[in-house]
Every structure is written in C-alpha cells, then in structure tokens.
Amino acid sequence: MFGRWKNSHHDQENDQLQPELKVNELKTAIGPLSGRSLQYCTVACYKRYLEARNWNVDKSKKMLEETLNWRSTYKPEEIQWNEVAMEGETGKVYRANFHDRHGRTVLILRPGMQNTKSLDNQMRHLVYLIENAILNLPEGQEQMSWLIDFTGWSISNSVPVKSARDTVNILQNHYPERLGIAFLYNPPRIFEAFWKIVKYFLDAKTFQKVKFVYPKNNDSVELMRSYFDEENLPKEFGGKAMLNYDHEEFTKQMTQDDAKSAALWGFENKLQHAGNGYSGAEVAPEPVSLAPLAG
C-alpha cells in the first residue's frame, strides 16, 4: 500500500514539474531574445503558447516565432488611440467599465454599429482594443471575455468572410489562450448561414469558448449570468445596467492607457506626436501596474 502511495506521490510531483520543464524546453528552443521580444516572452506567455498547442514544444515554438515576427512588423503595442479613434466613434468595439466574475477584462462588440469600410483599419482598431484589454487585466488574470450584441446586424452590414477569418487567425495565432469566453447574444436567424462558414476557421479550443445566448432559452441565459453580475450586465445583454458609450470620455481613457502602454513598452516619445484633440504628451502616465504583458 505504501509503495502505491509513494508511486502516486511521485507521479503528482512529476505532473507539477512537467509544465516547468516544458517552459524551459520551449525557452531554450526559442533561443536568446532581446528588446520587446524578451519583454513579451514571460513564463506565462510560454505557458499560453504551450497550452494552445497541447504542450507540444515544436508546434509551440513555431507558433511563438510566427507571433514574434508578426509583432515586430505589425507593432500592435505601438498603435495609439488617435490612429484608430475614427473606427471607435459608434462604439462598435470598446472595453467595458466592468469585469466578469473571474476578474476578466470585458470587450463589448456591436457589429451592427459598423461605420467604416477599410478592413485594415478595422483590424488595427480591434488589435488595439485587444492589447488594451490585456493592459487592463488585474494581476493574476490572463484572459478577457467578449460580449457580442447583434442589434442592428444584417448580412448587408456584416464583415466579409475573409475579414472574419483574418480576425480569427490573429486571435488564435497571436493571442492564444487570451479569450476566456465569448457570448453571442441573440443573433438573428440569418446569422446561422454566416456562422456555418466562420466556425470552420476556429480551432477546437476556441470553438468551445463561443456560446450562443437567446433570451427565451433559460439555460443559455443562466450560463451567461454565471459569468456576469446582472447589475453590471447591460440591458442589451439581458442585464440591468444602461449601455451608454461616450466616445469623448472613452477617448480620454484610451489616451491615458496609451501613456501607460508607452511606459510599459518604452516608447514614450512617440506619444508626443499623438493628435485627435488629446495629445498623449498632455496626459501624465499613471503608475504602471504589473499586469501581464500582451503575450
């Protein structure tokens, strides 16, 4: 009996050491890093890429290297609000002023409020807000939640399939394990045709995180309420709070966050060129929290 307990205890220790060993193996495989790549590749970052590839070091290495290449050219951490503010005028995507029950940052997406035509600018706007959501994660939390409101959505104003695929690819490939849950609230029946195409772009892990909620389906409503306090949840999502997007106020918040991000990544000088009525140089950076980097 004691022999069995000893073996079991030994197995538990091995299980606890396994992630650490895999992280070290991936870190060695990636090799020496410098600058922002070194800053990006925290232990938590390595774990997310390993988790996304079922702890296969070779596949995780390939995935992480592709992200590092993407970040070095796209430079998502350098996007400033004044560059994408026009995309945000209708509040089609914005960071909510509440968290879910797990402390995750919440992004609210309202595809029916689409106001522009440039797919590249729309993508930069979304990437900016993903980075911003990560910047505002509380310590110890790695993931964000998405609430998607379909009010006003139709096939005529829906994003092209290619754009949807590109969005999914960026989220899955360059922000692995950052999405905790996504609730699609009361999508119209015609959305099913669009979803049948888009769902094939999702990997199994992401697919499991996407939940449909219908007001008349109690099980789906209860599932969403298990993630959100009804007092915080906007009425558009079946809650009690008033959803009121104030673009000017949100611009002030984002400009302050730009200063925090610049201090975190070390490019404060770029903020002096910010425009759109709110120069980042005029905003005193708040103390930088130890929130996880956008990895």
Side-chain angles (χ1 to χ4, degrees):
M1 183 180 79
F2 290 111
R4 284 200 302 273
W5 181 86
K6 187 175 181 181
N7 287 339
S8 173
H9 185 66
H10 182 69
D11 289 343
Q12 286 179 356
E13 286 183 341
N14 280 344
D15 289 343
Q16 290 170 356
L17 285 172
Q18 194 68 17
E20 189 177 331
L21 292 172
K22 289 285 188 181
V23 166
N24 289 335
E25 195 177 336
L26 177 57
K27 193 173 181 180
T28 301
I30 290 292
L33 297 168
S34 62
R36 292 183 196 171
S37 292
L38 177 62
Q39 189 177 356
Y40 178 81
C41 290
T42 61
V43 170
C45 171
Y46 285 126
K47 284 182 178 178
R48 283 193 300 274
Y49 280 80
L50 284 162
E51 180 71 33
R53 289 295 179 262
N54 296 314
W55 297 86
N56 181 302
V57 173
D58 289 338
K59 291 180 179 179
S60 302
K61 174 178 179 285
K62 182 176 184 293
M63 186 186 197
L64 180 51
E65 285 177 338
E66 288 173 353
T67 291
L68 293 177
N69 288 334
W70 175 76
R71 292 187 72 89
S72 70
T73 54
Y74 201 85
K75 300 186 186 304
E77 73 280 6
E78 287 195 20
I79 303 172
Q80 296 172 44
W81 177 248
N82 69 290
E83 299 170 27
V84 297
M86 187 180 72
E87 293 289 334
E89 287 178 354
T90 60
K92 63 188 176 188
V93 187
Y94 68 98
R95 176 169 58 82
N97 61 359
F98 60 90
H99 293 77
D100 71 7
R101 295 185 190 275
H102 298 277
R104 300 180 181 124
T105 308
V106 178
L107 285 187
I108 293 179
L109 296 85
R110 302 189 290 177
M113 305 290 282
Q114 183 58 262
N115 61 324
T116 63
K117 300 292 185 184
S118 170
L119 300 182
D120 289 341
N121 288 343
Q122 290 169 16
M123 186 64 70
R124 281 177 66 78
H125 177 236
L126 179 61
V127 167
Y128 171 88
L129 286 166
I130 290 173
E131 292 277 325
N132 182 266
I134 294 168
L135 179 72
N136 284 281
L137 285 171
E139 189 173 355
Q141 179 53 260
E142 298 268 304
Q143 297 183 317
M144 58 186 159
S145 294
W146 285 14
L147 287 173
I148 306 174
D149 171 22
F150 282 88
T151 301
W153 184 91
S154 67
I155 287 292
S156 63
N157 65 11
S158 68
V159 297
V161 170
K162 179 185 181 301
S163 179
R165 183 184 62 197
D166 290 346
T167 300
V168 168
N169 286 342
I170 283 180
L171 183 64
Q172 290 182 160
N173 297 335
H174 301 315
Y175 296 95
E177 297 304 308
R178 282 302 196 184
L179 181 66
I181 195 84
F183 286 105
L184 281 62
Y185 191 80
N186 203 24
R189 197 173 192 86
I190 197 167
F191 178 76
E192 292 177 11
F194 186 75
W195 174 247
K196 282 180 180 177
I197 300 171
V198 172
K199 70 179 182 181
Y200 287 108
F201 305 144
L202 302 178
D203 61 32
K205 286 178 179 290
T206 306
F207 184 79
Q208 292 298 320
K209 296 173 182 177
V210 177
K211 308 296 182 185
F212 285 78
V213 180
Y214 297 97
K216 293 181 180 178
N217 183 310
N218 288 335
D219 288 343
S220 67
V221 170
E222 287 304 313
L223 176 64
M224 188 169 73
R225 287 181 180 170
S226 71
Y227 282 84
F228 293 95
D229 186 329
E230 194 177 17
E231 298 297 325
N232 291 332
L233 203 60
K235 288 184 177 180
E236 286 80 356
F237 295 95
K240 295 182 178 180
M242 292 296 293
L243 180 60
N244 181 27
Y245 175 74
D246 184 327
H247 185 61
E248 186 173 343
E249 186 59 36
F250 193 70
T251 291
K252 292 177 182 177
Q253 291 177 24
M254 294 303 99
T255 307
Q256 290 177 347
D257 281 355
D258 284 350
K260 286 199 297 184
S261 181
L264 182 66
W265 291 103
F267 58 90
E268 292 96 325
N269 290 342
K270 189 184 176 191
L271 282 180
Q272 294 175 5
H273 303 293
N276 200 38
Y278 296 101
S279 171
E282 297 169 5
V283 180
E286 295 179 4
V288 178
S289 69
L290 297 177
L293 295 178

